[in-house]
């Protein structure tokens, strides 16, 4: 018997179950499609973010390598630092987590360059090994006090034989600087007249445990530069020729 249009008999249980099953299937398919779209959107956003971070990291590393060995633009120490020091070191240097002096790494490097737009000076008096203070000369037209050097500045001492060492300026009193040694090895003595150059030291290191590329300034700042880095490999090219300058003292090796 057919139902009439105004019939009050309703739907049977089987009909209700079939309708519910169809509705649930449609809803499940819609949710699955929505989840796929959301995953694809997240993957695309993560890919774009990764590319942007990789591009920014590449720009930082490229700039560091291009500026490696840049020297003071004025003053008695005006020259490229590459004439006196290795501007690219195959290891991490500084107070924390520094590699050994004779260690050659393929997953870390350090770049040293003179700080741009900074004054530089020379030592007024000799500096013994392990000294905690340096006195600068007021000659040469550098700005007072302390040739413009301030607390927090990284400082490089360099002599004519190619011996160098790095320090952090912790306090300034006139032309006297209170410093903290930044090297892993004990500091060495420097003669009066040795250049005192404001520098920027930047170490790029891969932390394999966290897969993070880090940027370290040799003192207190050790910041993540990029995460999710699988590997870092460095190659160095050069000639096996000893340096011609600076000239070492008689009887000393020139490498």
């Amino acid at each position: 018997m057919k139902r009439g249009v105004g019939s009050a008999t309703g739907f049977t249980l089987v009909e209700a179950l079939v309708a519910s099953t169809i509705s649930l299937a449609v809803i499940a398919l819609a949710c699955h499609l929505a989840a796929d779209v959301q995953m694809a959107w997240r993957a695309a956003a993560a890919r774009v973010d990764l590319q942007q971070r990789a591009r920014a990291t590449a720009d930082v590393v490229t700039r560091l390598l291009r500026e490696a060995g840049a020297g003071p633009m004025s003053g008695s120490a005006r020259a490229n630092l590459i004439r006196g020091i290795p501007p690219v070191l195959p290891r991490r240097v500084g107070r924390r987590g520094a590699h050994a002096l004779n260690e050659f790494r393929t997953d870390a490097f350090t770049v040293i360059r003179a700080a741009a737009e900074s004054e530089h000076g020379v030592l007024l008096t000799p500096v013994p090994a392990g000294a905690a203070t340096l006195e600068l000369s007021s000659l040469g037209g550098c700005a007072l006090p302390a040739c413009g050097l301030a607390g927090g500045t990284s400082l490089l001492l360099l002599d004519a034989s190619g011996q160098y060492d790095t320090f952090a300026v912790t306090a300034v009193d006139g032309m006297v600087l209170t410093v903290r040694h930044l090297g892993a090895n004990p500091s060495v003595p420097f003669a009066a007249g040795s250049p005192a150059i404001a520098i920027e030291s930047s170490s790029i290191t891969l932390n394999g445990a966290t897969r993070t590329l880090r940027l370290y300034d040799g003192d207190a700042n050790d910041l993540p530069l990029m995460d999710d880095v699988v590997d870092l490999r460095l190659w160095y090219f050069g000639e096996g020729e000893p340096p011609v300058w600076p000239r070492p003292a008689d009887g000393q090796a020139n490498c």
Side-chain angles (χ1 to χ4, degrees):
M1 180 179 69
K2 297 181 180 179
R3 295 190 185 97
V5 175
S7 175
T9 58
F11 296 97
T12 66
L13 178 61
V14 174
E15 291 173 330
L17 290 174
V18 171
S20 299
T21 302
I22 295 175
S23 299
L24 289 174
V26 173
I27 293 173
L29 179 61
C31 291
H32 180 72
L33 293 175
D36 287 344
V37 171
Q38 188 177 35
M39 289 180 61
W41 178 82
R42 288 180 177 177
R47 188 182 308 111
V48 172
D49 179 64
L50 179 61
Q51 291 174 346
Q52 293 293 343
R53 288 187 288 122
R55 184 178 296 111
T57 300
D59 290 342
V60 170
V61 174
T62 300
R63 178 179 59 83
L64 291 178
L65 292 175
R66 284 178 176 174
E67 296 177 355
M73 301 298 294
S74 61
S76 59
R78 180 179 180 180
N80 291 332
L81 291 183
I82 195 172
R83 296 188 64 190
I85 68 170
V88 179
L89 300 169
R91 58 186 176 273
R92 172 180 166 124
V93 301
R95 293 180 59 219
R96 301 189 304 179
H99 297 131
L101 184 62
N102 59 352
E103 191 170 357
F104 188 100
R105 306 280 300 198
T106 60
D107 60 352
F109 71 93
T110 298
V111 170
I112 298 176
R113 63 193 183 280
E117 307 297 332
S118 294
E119 297 256 8
H120 309 279
V122 297
L123 294 178
L124 176 64
T125 58
V127 174
T133 58
L134 313 175
E135 186 173 2
L136 301 181
S137 172
S138 59
L139 301 178
C142 70
L144 299 178
C147 296
L149 300 173
T153 303
S154 293
L155 189 67
L156 173 77
L157 295 183
L158 173 67
D159 65 17
S161 69
Q163 180 175 258
Y164 70 95
D165 215 339
T166 55
F167 303 83
V169 179
T170 59
V172 176
D173 183 10
M175 298 300 287
V176 177
L177 308 178
T178 302
V179 297
R180 180 178 62 244
H181 185 232
L182 294 181
N185 297 307
S187 61
V188 295
F190 289 90
S194 297
I197 303 171
I199 62 163
E200 295 176 359
S201 174
S202 303
S203 293
I204 301 292
T205 309
L206 176 63
N207 186 325
T210 61
R211 299 200 307 175
T212 304
L213 202 65
R214 305 191 69 85
L215 177 62
Y216 177 49
D217 70 350
D219 191 9
N221 296 318
D222 189 3
L223 305 175
L225 186 60
M226 185 177 180
D227 53 12
D228 297 324
V229 178
V230 176
D231 198 6
L232 173 66
R233 285 289 181 269
L234 304 169
W235 289 266
Y236 296 87
F237 302 91
E239 297 180 358
E241 297 285 342
V244 178
W245 194 96
R247 184 179 180 85
D250 293 338
Q252 292 184 0
N254 59 352
C255 285

